[in-house]
Amino acid sequence: MPFTLDTTFVPAHLNAAHWDALAPLYADLAERQVSGRAEFERWVLDRSELDAAAGEARANLYIAMTCRTDDPATADAWAAYIEQVPPKLKPVSAALDRRQAEMHARFAPGDPRYAVLERALRNEIELYREVNVPLETELARLDQRYDQVCGAMEVDFEGERRTMPQMARYQESTDRALRERAWRASSARRLADHEEISSILDRMVHLRHQCARNAGFGSFLEYEHRRKGRFDYTPQDCEAFHRAIEKHAVPFMRRLDARRRASLELPALRPWDLAVDELGRPPLRPFTNGQDLIEKTRRVYRRVDPALADLFHRLGDDRAPGGCFDLDSRKGKASGGYQYMRDRSREPFIFMNAAGLHRDVQTMVHEAGHAFHSMLCEREPLVWYRSSPIEFAEVASMTQELLTMGEWDEFYPSPADAARARRAQLEGAVSILPWIATIDAFQHWIYRNPTHTHDNRRIEWIGLDARFGHDLDWNGLDDSRALMWQRQGHLFGSPLYYVEYGIAQLGALGIWARSLRDGRPAALRDYTAALSLGGSRPLPELFERAGVPFDFSESAVGRTIDAVERYLDSIGD
């Protein structure tokens, strides 16, 4: 049932996927007379619920499209929406932003309740350019095409046709020859589409640079940094973060590579040697299918925290009518995973490509963390405060990967397997930082050099991989190495959205460290209190309420990695 709120402005059964249904309501907001504080607050609440309805319509169409990229009806519905609704909605929203900012100044000047919202509104007003609306529509179409290309990728292997997530299972096999065949088959399939994917990014870079220039910026890097509302750090801070990762996280990761190489008794590691257990143990197989994954995750949360268990139970079953999951990998699904909050009904949706791997467990609890975040602030009446800056939103999700580790025996009845999974989680939490730095630095370079060629891009990527990547032998695999970036969907649909994961990882590790020091209940108490604030406080305050500093300096990176290493040394293999 839809979440009820004290407003009747938006009809319960509004079809918000069509502009003809939305237009009269937005016109009412544009024309309504507002003469005092009470009328202003009613206007803000009504706009919030209308924006929530519009957002949920978009969410439902996007969810349907990514679940079935090969279904013409869902693809056409999404394409029709992005071509017909956002181009009309964006200029109307920009006008309402200006009106709302003026009313803030008249009726609620200096009110801390609206401080974060007002700052965001003024930022949107300064950046909005109507000329960018058709460019953004084309960018959305290009992103849809990227999802379609990736969703169609399959490999004929070992007598069956398999999706790319399903092919990843073979990288955990102890049979090195099988791993190599699977890796080469997957790489060849990706390379078959590399020219189209490169062309998609070419066009996106051109359009994004034009959007930035239209808004008065020299590059998309500076423009998008502002558009993302990064009020508390700069692109230069991100580059310092890259250097801190290079100094502390890369050596950590490469020490693990050296240990792996020695354990496997290899002269050098190849790309197909990174996922197999280095001690020759069989792959971890934590669940059989999506529903089994849900049932085991439910048991985990019953032991972690009753309140979180109740939230997870609300999500329902895999692919049940009206449910909140689509988990199993299949042909035609978009790549990756996400949680999408349907803003009016306050119902989350979790999407992933589960193939029975340990990383699917990580994805499940990660996306559950996002869902908890959305649900814990669902009673916030203002839709803009029912989400937080991404840097903290990812703390919500990454913390779940760490604070659930003690109950992973629900997935792994063998104590040795459960311990192995926990070690992999902590080692991975640090080892992901170099990849984050690679992706973020690559995007910095792309958007500072928007007229670069494919050869320029190839050279830059390989240089970044040499700086931040694993210690691998790539002999004979130059094309695969040079195009690894094509697997990162954020480059296409969410530009410059990746450094947030690194900032959040430090915050999540800080909460985990506190759970060791003060106990998990204390850590969870402050974590859930911070999540309940949504986005109603500035970013540093959200971190502070969660009990960790907003700090991704060189010293913070070093301290965090030292703490992880000491813990790993204390528990052994």
Side-chain angles (χ1 to χ4, degrees), residues 109-154:
D111 188 335
R113 164 66 173 157
Y114 296 110
V116 172
L117 175 56
E118 187 174 11
R119 181 176 67 171
L121 280 173
R122 295 196 180 281
N123 191 54
E124 290 287 336
I125 291 165
E126 290 173 12
L127 295 180
Y128 176 76
R129 300 293 185 278
E130 190 164 353
V131 68
N132 283 344
V133 172
L135 305 184
E136 291 165 354
T137 300
E138 184 175 351
L139 283 163
R141 287 197 297 264
L142 288 166
D143 182 43
Q144 180 184 10
R145 179 57 191 158
Y146 171 78
D147 281 340
Q148 289 171 331
V149 171
C150 293
M153 289 183 181
E154 288 187 298

Side-chain angles (χ1 to χ4, degrees), residues 230 233 337-340 362-363 365-371 373-374 387-402 425 432 436 488 490 494 496-511 527 531 534 539 542-543 546 548 550:
R230 292 174 177 171
Y233 63 100
Y338 62 79
Q339 184 270 163
Y340 207 145
Q362 295 170 305
T363 300
V365 294
H366 179 103
E367 302 303 344
H370 284 308
H373 198 180
S374 298
S387 59
S388 73
I390 295 169
E391 297 84 352
F392 189 72
E394 294 299 335
V395 172
S397 55
M398 290 177 170
T399 297
Q400 287 304 311
E401 297 179 40
L402 298 165
Q425 173 63 41
I432 191 64
I436 290 168
Q488 193 69 51
H490 299 78
S494 304
L496 292 167
Y497 165 34
Y498 211 61
V499 70
E500 294 92 341
Y501 286 100
I503 296 170
Q505 190 70 274
L506 296 183
L509 285 166
I511 294 172
Y527 163 85
L531 265 56
L539 185 59
L542 295 175
F543 273 76
V548 290
F550 178 66

